[in-house]
Amino acid sequence: MASWQPDPSFYPSPRMAAKAPKETLAYVAAFDPDRRTPDAIAVVDVDPQSPSYSQIVGQVDMPNAGDELHHFGWNACSSCLCPNAPHPHMERRYLVVPGLRSSRLHIIDTRPDPRNPKIVKVIEPETIAERAGYSRLHTTHCGPEGIYVNALGNAEGKGPGGIFLLDPESFEVLGQWEMDRGPQKLAYDFWWHLGHDTMITSEWGTPDTFENGLVPEILLGSKYGRRLHFWDLHKRKHQQEIDFGEEHQLVFELRPAHDPTKAYGFVGCVISLKDLSASIWTWYRDGDKWAVRKVIEIPAEPADPDLLPPLLKGFKAVPPLVTDIDLSMDDRFLYVSCWGTGDMIQYDVSDPFEPKEAGRVRIGGIVSRATHPKATNGALNGGPQMVEISRDGRRVYFTNSLYGAIDPQFYPEGIEGWMVKLDVGENGGIEFDPNFFIDWPKGHRPHQVRLEGGDCSSDSYCYP
């Protein structure tokens, strides 16, 4: 009698996922900011026992130039084991890779040779616009019902942005997810609490307000995103909006607790118009409503205007610019990327309302230009940006580019790409792996990292 087994990289609970085998490969989105050569997914050897450790060992090039690969994800993950929509015999095999600028969607097969992935399907922007009414694809998540993809604009590149679904086997575009979007117009990130039947979405702006860089008048006028939206995940209906207030701009990355019994998570706000500080907020269930509370504030650092880009000279300070966050699988440590100052900060968030700093490193930065033990190219620029954590929480990887049109606004000389790894102490604390530094090949800049077999922002779980 035939016996089908779930993919061994699927785990019913985050506790079990934390015991998964160590990753040996990482997949990294790399893009050409000049949009002249095709973007790529690079394959990086992250096995310390390998002779090619800390090297790019494979690459798949996109068929077109100008995609601006940004965020991407797996076709299937541990949510396939959820009891409300089980499909446990799916395989974590395909990377779902959108182009943020092109609105083109690539399906990449990582088997049979994970070091040599191949493109097996390309969904053109016209198809997505016709079937889902969206463009400027940003984030993908594998969910119980299929593959969710969000978009920052409608078919014409205006508002509202939103979410659509792909069939998890055929990769056909099924259509728009929202049944009733309520007041939601802007989009950025999305995640969910499967155990509480709730989706959360955050905000950036419509494509015309960021594709050529941040617009100072829009930023200072508090016209970029500043709200969280809470949805009934099953009914696909908007339930609640929380406005962070005019001071706060660019409410970005969402990281819910991995434990499905917990109804809280963390979101980063890139900048305060009052003092250039950045902040981390905890959302949580408060009676029959959702609420948020600011739990971390990271101040700007005074700086010599001569060392600052034109955008910041008048402020005489370097803003932290928190552009990404990530939460360890045990919900204990939150990692916060400060792309402006060059800090990667580790917070103990065992109490999600009273975070405590547990570790900090500095690399790059608008003024600091801090280096790395293995770097040979002098002062580094860019700063900690896209961050990813191993399932056991002992390794943290990150890259240094934010977005092609925004990079030169803060690093006018052009970002020289790099990727690094941190080692994490058993009870917290972080330090650079002195043997892991990738001086990214010229012509491309690295962005999101995905780890073989899953990581701390790829999967969701239905069992505690």
Side-chain angles (χ1 to χ4, degrees), residues 50-376:
S50 169
S52 55
Y53 179 59
S54 183
Q55 295 177 31
I56 297 172
V57 294
Q59 181 169 301
V60 55
D61 295 324
M62 301 302 104
N64 302 276
D67 286 309
E68 182 126 5
L69 301 188
H70 198 67
H71 296 183
F72 64 106
W74 292 104
N75 67 303
C77 66
S78 298
S79 65
C80 289
L81 304 180
C82 286
N84 55 314
H87 41 285
H89 307 302
M90 294 290 293
E91 184 180 18
R92 189 196 305 267
R93 172 171 180 165
Y94 300 95
L95 292 170
V96 181
V97 183
L100 177 53
R101 184 173 282 267
S102 70
S103 308
R104 189 176 288 114
L105 192 56
H106 311 84
I107 309 299
I108 298 176
D109 189 356
T110 65
R111 306 284 174 86
D113 181 359
R115 292 184 174 221
N116 292 287
K118 307 291 184 186
I119 297 173
V120 295
K121 186 180 180 73
V122 177
I123 306 171
E124 294 296 336
E126 295 81 7
T127 300
I128 295 166
E130 178 188 356
R131 297 186 181 180
Y134 286 130
S135 69
R136 284 29 172 234
L137 315 184
H138 185 259
T139 295
T140 77
H141 285 310
C142 37
E145 301 88 357
I147 301 167
Y148 291 67
V149 183
N150 83 326
L152 303 191
N154 63 13
E156 293 75 38
K158 304 293 184 181
I163 296 169
F164 65 93
L165 262 71
L166 294 180
D167 183 279
E169 296 184 85
S170 68
F171 301 109
E172 290 297 311
V173 177
L174 298 178
Q176 176 181 306
W177 175 79
E178 299 88 358
M179 293 295 289
D180 178 0
R181 70 172 66 252
Q184 180 265 327
K185 293 291 187 294
L186 302 181
Y188 181 75
D189 197 12
F190 73 101
W191 250 123
W192 42 55
H193 290 295
L194 293 178
H196 300 268
D197 201 21
T198 297
M199 178 181 280
I200 306 100
T201 64
S202 61
E203 297 186 341
W204 183 1
T206 52
D208 57 319
T209 66
F210 63 76
E211 283 190 332
N212 294 314
L214 293 176
V215 181
E217 295 78 12
I218 294 175
L219 180 65
L220 297 175
S222 195
K223 302 300 184 185
Y224 283 119
R226 65 186 207 216
R227 296 170 178 85
L228 284 186
H229 301 273
F230 295 84
W231 308 72
D232 185 307
L233 183 59
H234 178 69
K235 294 180 179 177
R236 298 152 56 189
K237 292 185 177 182
H238 189 281
Q239 290 187 315
Q240 186 181 346
E241 174 187 275
I242 298 180
D243 189 333
F244 283 42
E246 289 191 0
E247 170 193 332
H248 299 100
Q249 283 286 273
L250 304 170
V251 176
F252 268 10
E253 303 292 342
L254 303 167
R255 296 292 180 259
H258 296 283
D259 183 337
T261 67
K262 298 176 179 177
Y264 71 83
F266 301 94
V267 59
C269 178
V270 176
I271 196 162
S272 163
L273 300 180
K274 182 179 71 175
D275 55 13
L276 300 188
S277 65
S279 52
I280 305 295
W281 302 62
T282 298
W283 76 75
Y284 60 99
R285 195 71 179 164
D286 184 15
D288 60 353
K289 294 286 187 180
W290 294 92
V292 300
R293 184 187 304 176
K294 185 191 292 188
V295 295
I296 298 170
E297 188 167 275
I298 305 170
E301 296 182 358
D304 182 344
D306 291 342
L307 301 176
L308 295 172
L311 192 66
L312 295 175
K313 285 185 184 297
F315 297 100
K316 300 180 182 179
V318 178
L321 299 177
V322 166
T323 50
D324 194 22
I325 60 175
D326 205 4
L327 182 63
S328 63
M329 194 69 73
D330 59 3
D331 295 329
R332 180 177 177 187
F333 292 113
L334 184 74
Y335 293 85
V336 177
S337 297
C338 300
W339 188 65
T341 55
D343 291 321
M344 175 63 76
I345 310 176
Q346 177 197 53
Y347 292 95
D348 186 329
V349 291
S350 302
D351 180 345
F353 299 104
E354 294 289 342
K356 295 178 173 60
E357 184 173 326
R360 182 186 295 237
V361 298
R362 176 167 283 195
I363 182 170
I366 292 170
V367 171
S368 299
R369 304 301 169 98
T371 190
H372 182 278
K374 195 182 177 187
T376 58

Side-chain angles (χ1 to χ4, degrees), residues 384-448:
Q385 216 286 291
M386 293 307 298
V387 54
E388 197 46 74
I389 311 167
S390 64
R391 288 172 291 184
D392 64 3
R394 301 304 297 273
R395 295 164 301 285
V396 176
Y397 304 86
F398 60 91
T399 59
N400 71 326
S401 171
L402 175 60
Y403 180 65
I406 295 176
D407 286 350
Q409 291 185 287
F410 295 93
Y411 295 92
E413 71 280 12
I415 282 182
E416 299 293 325
W418 43 258
M419 177 179 174
V420 299
K421 173 195 161 199
L422 303 179
D423 292 321
V424 181
E426 187 170 350
N427 291 305
I430 49 177
E431 60 183 11
F432 288 111
D433 176 345
N435 298 313
F436 193 105
F437 180 85
I438 300 177
D439 182 3
W440 208 264
K442 303 300 180 281
H444 277 161
R445 294 177 189 167
H447 196 64
Q448 190 173 31

